[in-house]
Amino acid sequence: MEDSRQNVVSGKDVWQEKAGWERGEPFVRLSLAELNGLLEPVFPGRSVEFAQPLGTGLSNSNYKIRLRGEERPFVLRIYRGDADVMRKEKAVAQLVRFAVPVPAFLHADASFARFPRPWALLEWHDGELLSSLRLTASPEELASAAASLGRTLASVHAFPFPVPGLLGPELEIRTPMRLDEAMFVGFAEQSLLHGEAGRLLGPRRTEALWELCKRHAGLLEEQPKYSLIHSDFNGRNVLLAPDGSGGYEVTAVLDWEFAFAGPSLVDIGNMLRYEPTGSEFKHHFIRGYVQEGEVLPERWELKSKLADLLALLDLLNGAAESPNRAADLVRLIDRLLAEWA
């Protein structure tokens, strides 16, 4: 299995994002006959001619399907969780559809009548995942892609929420949640001193990271606004295509299952998680973001790293049985310590 070490592609060193990560649960494998049985009420009398598993996701199961006699493909998305996750994704798509390129929901089924999981049929968007584009694109093309991603993220963050928290199926604040000093220190302490993250990091890293957390936690107190946060905004969840002038533009933002209301630095930290110091991609991404009117706070880079550290620790807490995932997360934390400790 491919891991996340640097690969030399076209003369460039590329640290592949989440390469080799284990899935959270097995992919749901369906035969053509099973797919036809599932979709028959949506397309009565028509059959599935082609079905290709899409292997980019790490939790839900997605298929690219084409109906006989139909040129336009669709995406069949089978959810691992309860129906509220599907309903939330559908509500987000409806909210942002005129400002952010997202697949429209063509059909959603949470009845469990024909299948034991929620599932939905979404429109297909052409494009290449950023994680793949990085391996072949020129520096100029990547700069254009980064700027487009920055502008797109600014459009996501243009949808405000009065308070932060986890979202319910109608985008209501179901569980209030503030990313402040108390929350940050409490979660870091639990993860590092009592959780699986500390065990996987080992005593030396754990001590260094705990000291970094205590030293900088106060930076997270100031939250100028709260907005829609994708929470998994990275190279495996954005599609891009040539823009006709030598650059690239975003054609779709995918997989909104973790969306919540919170501070913008969460998404910024996620997108820049694998970027090294002095990254040109980072420069153009931030330039595109602020050109759309978004304002970054002082010391935004460190603050975004701290916000993303919570996600890294949360992932590491669940990585005991996922050695590739754990190794990649530890490497990311090693680089964080080297740059900011």
Side-chain angles (χ1 to χ4, degrees):
M1 180 177 289
E2 185 180 24
D3 64 20
S4 59
R5 297 182 180 90
Q6 287 183 331
N7 295 328
V8 178
V9 181
S10 303
K12 297 180 289 185
D13 287 336
V14 179
W15 183 356
Q16 289 184 280
E17 185 173 1
K18 297 185 179 180
W21 277 35
E22 299 86 353
R23 283 183 58 91
E25 65 175 61
F27 190 90
V28 177
R29 300 285 175 182
L30 298 176
S31 67
L32 276 179
E34 290 170 322
L35 288 169
N36 277 311
L38 185 65
L39 297 176
E40 201 279 333
V42 186
F43 301 108
R46 306 180 66 185
S47 61
V48 177
E49 180 181 46
F50 167 86
Q52 175 188 358
L54 299 173
T56 56
L58 295 172
S59 55
N60 301 306
S61 300
N62 300 294
Y63 285 86
K64 178 182 180 181
I65 65 170
R66 182 177 286 112
L67 299 174
R68 194 172 302 279
E70 180 81 39
E71 292 185 7
R72 175 179 63 147
F74 304 97
V75 173
L76 172 65
R77 183 163 170 81
I78 301 171
Y79 289 83
R80 63 167 179 168
D82 62 36
D84 280 355
V85 175
M86 180 182 71
R87 294 187 180 106
K88 181 179 74 171
E89 281 201 324
K90 183 178 179 181
V92 169
Q94 292 173 335
L95 174 69
V96 307
R97 66 190 186 278
F98 296 120
V100 181
V102 292
F105 277 66
L106 307 175
H107 181 83
D109 189 327
S111 68
F112 301 96
R114 304 181 71 86
F115 197 73
R117 299 187 187 208
W119 60 275
L121 198 66
L122 286 73
E123 68 177 350
W124 174 265
H125 280 234
D126 289 323
E128 184 175 2
L129 289 173
L130 173 63
S131 56
S132 299
L133 184 65
R134 285 179 181 276
L135 303 179
T136 58
S138 69
E140 294 76 19
E141 289 170 333
L142 277 181
S144 172
S148 179
L149 286 161
R151 293 191 296 269
T152 299
L153 186 59
S155 296
V156 173
H157 293 168
F159 292 90
F161 281 83
V163 294
L166 303 182
L167 298 174
E170 303 300 326
L171 304 188
E172 74 280 10
I173 301 297
R174 171 172 282 183
T175 306
M177 181 184 68
R178 298 184 67 88
L179 178 54
D180 57 16
E181 181 175 6
M183 182 270 194
F184 178 83
V185 171
F187 187 80
E189 180 179 14
Q190 177 62 34
S191 300
L192 293 172
L193 305 185
H194 308 289
E196 189 65 24
R199 187 188 71 79
L200 291 171
L201 287 168
R204 179 184 58 81
R205 288 191 187 93
T206 294
E207 181 180 359
L209 192 58
W210 178 229
E211 290 302 319
L212 180 146
C213 290
K214 291 187 293 183
R215 183 165 64 252
H216 296 302
L219 292 175
L220 296 175
E221 285 290 0
E222 297 179 11
Q223 305 294 328
K225 71 170 188 175
Y226 300 105
S227 60
L228 178 65
I229 302 300
H230 183 281
S231 194
D232 204 16
F233 192 74
N234 56 56
R236 297 172 65 93
N237 285 329
V238 288
L239 294 174
L240 299 107
D243 61 7
S245 60
Y248 277 81
E249 63 182 356
V250 175
T251 57
V253 181
L254 311 172
D255 295 3
W256 294 79
E257 64 178 309
F258 302 115
F260 72 103
S264 61
L265 292 175
V266 172
D267 280 340
I268 292 172
N270 197 310
M271 176 54 72
L272 300 179
R273 180 179 291 173
Y274 286 82
E275 293 301 314
T277 301
S279 161
E280 281 296 308
F281 181 94
K282 181 195 307 181
H283 168 75
H284 292 286
F285 171 71
I286 293 300
R287 177 173 59 84
Y289 185 75
V290 300
Q291 281 179 345
E292 294 300 305
E294 293 295 320
V295 177
L296 292 170
E298 293 184 5
R299 305 192 71 183
W300 67 266
E301 190 169 4
L302 175 56
K303 291 178 179 179
S304 68
K305 289 291 184 183
L306 294 173
D308 193 50
L309 177 58
L310 292 179
L312 296 180
L313 291 175
D314 189 40
L315 289 165
L316 200 53
N317 282 331
E321 305 300 324
S322 304
N324 294 338
R325 182 186 297 230
D328 196 35
L329 293 166
V330 170
R331 183 181 175 186
L332 287 165
I333 288 172
D334 276 342
R335 189 165 71 180
L336 175 66
L337 288 170
E339 293 178 355
W340 299 102

